[in-house]
Amino acid sequence: MKVFVKVCKAMSDASRVKIVKMLQYKVMCVCELTHALGLAQPTVSKHLKILEQAGFVNSARNERWVNYSLSDGSANPYVASFLGKIKCWMEDDPDMASLIRRLPEIR
């Protein structure tokens, strides 16, 4: 039960949902996510930590940068199920569509 609740809590914030949706399209570092979301770097880092602890994202250090990508969900069946569903969820949301359109410009 605790694992299920942790997964649900991780996805209970709009910014974290946006992060997961953006990571569907490309690997991103904190600075790119900060720019895309218009949030402070510590706030984005906190969201990423919650997502990583729940099993939604993986991090990989590349010299000075830490890049984030979606996990495959293999370690947690709840995450795997959620990731499978969220790929088609929110596609028609205007805010999400606008964010996704801007992704190629964010570097």
Side-chain angles (χ1 to χ4, degrees):
M1 177 74 99
K2 288 181 183 180
V3 174
F4 176 74
V5 171
K6 187 177 204 174
V7 167
C8 290
K9 284 183 178 181
M11 295 308 294
S12 68
D13 183 272
S15 294
R16 291 194 287 269
V17 172
K18 289 176 183 178
I19 289 170
V20 168
K21 287 298 288 183
M22 287 188 290
L23 292 177
Q24 278 181 222
Y25 293 90
K26 70 181 205 174
V27 174
M28 299 177 79
C29 68
V30 175
C31 59
E32 291 171 319
L33 291 164
T34 299
H35 177 75
L37 296 170
L39 297 174
Q41 182 272 323
T43 303
V44 173
S45 292
K46 180 181 172 189
H47 287 311
L48 287 165
K49 181 179 179 181
I50 291 167
L51 289 169
E52 191 168 24
Q53 288 175 340
F56 282 97
V57 300
N58 297 317
S59 62
R61 183 166 290 281
N62 182 5
E63 297 177 18
R64 297 188 311 159
W65 308 104
V66 177
N67 292 311
Y68 290 87
S69 61
L70 279 185
S71 76
D72 62 4
S74 62
N76 184 325
Y78 302 121
V79 170
S81 180
F82 208 103
L83 288 174
K85 299 289 185 192
I86 201 166
K87 288 189 181 202
C88 59
W89 289 345
M90 305 294 297
E91 294 295 319
D92 58 349
D93 180 76
D95 292 334
M96 189 60 68
S98 172
L99 190 59
I100 299 305
R101 275 194 305 275
R102 289 190 354 247
L103 281 180
E105 303 164 5
I106 298 172
R107 301 216 180 263

